[in-house]
Amino acid sequence: MNEPDHYRVLGVSPQAPKADIQAAYRRRLRETHPDRGGDEDEFHLVQGAWETLSHPGLRREYDLLRFGRRAARRYGKAAAKPSHRKVRGWNVSPAPQPAAQGFPAEGALVTVPWHARLRLTRPVHRPSAWTAAGYMAAVAAVWVFCGLGYLGQALAADGWLFLALAIPVTIAIAIIVLVQTSRALRRRPDTAPNPPTGRLVIALLFAAAVVWLAGLSTPWGWALGVYVLTGTALAWTVKRLRYTLALRRSVGGALRQFNAFGPAGTRPKADRSTGKLLREVLTNLPAARLFVALPVDLETRVPHAIVCGDRIALLCAPVGRDSTDVDSVNLAAAVKALDAALPDANVQGWVLWPTLPETARAGETAAVHDVAVGQAATDIGLWLAAGGMVYDLPVLQALRVRLAAVPAPRTGDRTPAVRT
């Protein structure tokens, strides 16, 4: 943490009650007040410490960030998840379906809506938990089979030296693999695990050396080489399975319950034309999900972002409602920033104009489009559907993590500063 130690600034214990903290604040305020000859920087430190420690929620969050598990045990498991890390979800009410109307006479021109051109498919979650479980079971089965085969050939060998070396080698490799697998089971599956490229290269070189020394026609050399290779990859398959199950449990449940998400305390805001656009796209794309106030950085937010598959459409007005909203000026920078932060996603932006400008804007790129809000649903809906109408759980999880990093608005006034 970059914050100072507020308890040391006030000279109290981390377990001190609020009354003791208030008394220490009064004493330190008299000592450091500039009007009484105190240091101005230290006076501001005292003020900051009091503002944090006098507010129960801010003090709890500060303790959890500074002291970690010790503070979590003191506050309880529920307090270990501060409110600003939550993501709010709600359902955007779909527009009522129009009544069925008969087609006009033959030969007349009929306007076909954009969603009638889609081949709707059932949303599929990916990555697949069954595929990850199959990989893990296959690697584990080959690892056990090769280990037993190598050990069986060692027991059947005539040389006592080979037998004395084979048994400890088999046991040592098994212990290393089991330890790595147990560590993989204890770690939280927050991000997708990377393949152990370095370990696999070392294991491949070891396997090649064993096969070359034993001879290409010797079964135990191949058994030992495959035993080491599959043992190296086993921990990664376990991590992959846990990550996939965690995605389906956390993100999948939210997807089935809600179709829109935003930071804690956020309420969806949209004018009538933009709201009609959002409802039309969310209604006709079953896998589409809406993200409100999506943070690009610490200072800017995308008012609306629609996700379908691995495609993300950023929507904004020509002029933002708030000073932190992305608008037509900085939409290209927001697209570039999110595209760099989400390498697995395809990000593009749309500026929703009431009426299109006659000339193209300066700085317009292939990833940023100007469109009239009344006809925007066609372009945005067809572009999103072209990426596959499925749930891309890693992309959705990354967006939810970005939402969870937005602090919740603080309700209520802080405890007023004590006058000296």
Side-chain angles (χ1 to χ4, degrees):
M1 291 181 60
N2 295 326
E3 284 191 81
D5 190 343
H6 295 320
Y7 294 104
R8 181 172 295 180
V9 170
L10 297 181
V12 295
S13 170
Q15 291 79 24
K18 185 176 179 179
D20 294 348
I21 294 177
Q22 186 173 2
Y25 167 67
R26 290 177 175 177
R27 184 184 67 253
R28 293 286 295 145
L29 202 62
R30 288 191 294 266
E31 295 174 355
T32 60
H33 201 283
D35 294 342
R36 298 193 176 187
D39 186 6
E40 185 176 357
D41 294 337
E42 194 172 357
F43 173 76
H44 289 303
L45 289 177
V46 172
Q47 288 283 5
W50 168 250
E51 290 181 358
T52 299
L53 300 182
S54 62
H55 191 284
L58 297 180
R59 182 182 179 184
R60 179 186 65 184
E61 183 177 338
Y62 174 80
D63 289 347
L64 290 171
L65 291 175
R66 176 168 288 276
F67 302 110
R69 294 182 178 179
R70 290 183 296 169
R73 286 195 297 267
R74 183 174 54 179
Y75 287 106
K77 293 183 178 180
K81 298 179 180 180
S83 59
H84 76 275
R85 299 180 187 174
K86 296 180 181 179
V87 176
R88 180 180 179 182
W90 64 89
N91 288 310
V92 176
S93 300
Q97 296 294 335
Q101 297 179 356
F103 288 99
E106 184 178 357
L109 295 177
V110 179
T111 302
V112 179
W114 65 272
H115 47 81
R117 294 176 253 168
L118 300 178
R119 187 179 61 181
L120 297 180
T121 58
R122 185 179 179 182
V124 179
H125 294 77
R126 60 178 186 178
S128 172
W130 290 105
T131 303
Y135 286 153
M136 189 197 70
V139 171
V142 173
W143 179 68
V144 173
F145 177 78
C146 291
L148 294 178
Y150 171 69
L151 192 60
Q153 294 182 19
L155 294 176
D158 297 334
W160 62 270
L161 181 60
F162 177 68
L163 178 62
L165 293 177
I167 294 178
V169 168
T170 306
I171 296 176
I173 295 175
I175 291 175
I176 293 174
V177 172
L178 293 177
V179 169
Q180 293 295 328
T181 306
S182 64
R183 289 182 178 178
L185 292 174
R186 289 196 300 268
R187 292 177 180 175
R188 294 181 58 186
D190 294 332
T191 57
N194 297 321
T197 307
R199 295 180 182 178
L200 285 176
V201 170
I202 295 176
L204 183 61
L205 294 177
F206 177 80
V210 169
V211 171
W212 180 73
L213 291 175
L216 297 178
S217 60
T218 305
W220 69 264
W222 288 99
L224 180 58
V226 177
Y227 179 60
V228 173
L229 276 175
T230 53
T232 305
L234 182 59
W236 177 76
T237 59
V238 172
K239 293 180 183 178
R240 188 70 187 179
L241 178 59
R242 292 194 67 228
Y243 172 69
T244 304
L245 293 176
L247 282 179
R248 294 178 65 91
R249 183 174 59 253
S250 60
V251 184
L255 291 176
R256 288 188 294 270
Q257 188 175 2
F258 304 109
N259 65 355
F261 304 94
T266 303
R267 293 184 179 181
K269 298 178 182 179
D271 53 32
R272 181 174 299 179
S273 55
T274 304
K276 181 181 178 181
L277 160 68
L278 298 176
R279 286 192 298 268
E280 183 176 353
V281 174
L282 294 176
T283 301
N284 295 287
L285 293 180
R289 291 298 180 266
L290 173 66
F291 286 79
V292 176
L294 182 67
V296 178
D297 49 35
L298 296 177
E299 299 180 355
T300 56
R301 306 281 185 270
V302 178
H304 304 98
I306 304 179
V307 184
C308 187
D310 61 348
R311 298 197 171 192
I312 305 175
L314 307 183
L315 314 181
C316 71
V319 179
R321 290 170 172 260
D322 195 358
S323 60
T324 60
D325 287 348
V326 171
D327 54 17
S328 59
V329 177
N330 53 3
L331 178 59
V335 170
K336 184 177 180 181
L338 286 177
D339 194 42
L342 304 171
D344 296 333
N346 184 5
V347 185
Q348 291 195 14
W350 275 266
V351 182
L352 306 178
W353 295 85
T355 56
L356 281 176
E358 296 181 359
T359 58
R361 294 180 299 108
E364 185 178 358
T365 63
V368 178
H369 313 276
D370 290 327
V371 63
V373 65
Q375 290 78 32
T378 303
D379 297 340
I380 297 172
L382 292 176
W383 181 79
L384 290 172
M389 289 181 284
V390 299
Y391 294 140
D392 195 319
L393 295 187
V395 172
L396 291 167
Q397 173 72 354
L399 294 177
R400 283 172 58 86
V401 169
R402 295 181 76 89
L403 291 181
V406 179
R410 298 166 183 168
T411 58
D413 296 331
R414 292 182 177 178
T415 306
V418 179
R419 296 182 179 179
T420 57

